[in-house]
Amino acid sequence: MKRNAPQAAGPTTATEGDETLDDTFEALADPDCRAILGAADTAMTTSELAEACDIALSTAYRKVERLSETPLLVEGVRFDPDGDHAAEYTRGATDATIELGEGGVTLTVDDAAADPVSVAFDTTGVSAD
């Protein structure tokens, strides 16, 4: 599964010809992906997301993979004292803007409304939950 590095604070912009633009719109068109984004307001594993969204685990894995290729979902690591670390996911965006201009469509995904203290300490995408 392709993994993006944790997203730094600030907007991500995708324009015509950028694969991220198509990937993001395709993910937003998928009802399961939207349900996962709705549930991912706190860090959750794929299993937890599948349960929260009432979708099959295999489907959740595919949708999380799809969302991980966009700026909409960010991967972190949940450390377990027993060594069973797990990937966990949170929404990577709090706001999105679509602009229509001469150059085509521009999508800006912003996480500016995220808690500044969390952003300052979450430089590695690691959580102790």
Side-chain angles (χ1 to χ4, degrees):
M1 186 182 304
K2 178 182 173 185
R3 305 283 189 216
N4 288 340
Q7 185 177 359
T12 300
T13 301
T15 57
E16 289 293 335
D18 185 345
E19 191 174 312
T20 302
L21 181 69
D22 293 336
D23 291 344
T24 304
F25 281 133
E26 287 173 12
L28 288 171
D30 184 310
D32 290 333
C33 287
R34 291 193 308 269
I36 288 169
L37 288 172
D41 59 338
T42 61
M44 299 176 91
T45 65
T46 304
S47 298
E48 293 166 341
L49 288 166
E51 185 176 328
C53 299
D54 195 27
I55 58 177
L57 184 57
S58 60
T59 300
Y61 274 106
R62 285 193 314 274
K63 304 305 177 163
V64 164
E65 180 176 4
R66 171 184 255 180
L67 285 164
S68 294
E69 295 172 354
T70 74
L72 301 174
L73 196 68
V74 176
E75 180 183 0
V77 175
R78 180 179 296 176
F79 283 103
D80 182 296
D82 298 327
D84 294 327
H85 310 311
E88 62 180 16
Y89 303 89
T90 56
R91 232 180 284 141
T94 56
D95 192 27
T97 306
I98 300 168
E99 295 179 39
L100 306 172
E102 291 179 19
V105 175
T106 301
L107 172 67
T108 303
V109 178
D110 194 357
D111 67 346
D115 174 27
V117 174
S118 297
V119 171
F121 287 104
D122 190 26
T123 57
T124 62
V126 175
S127 144
D129 290 339

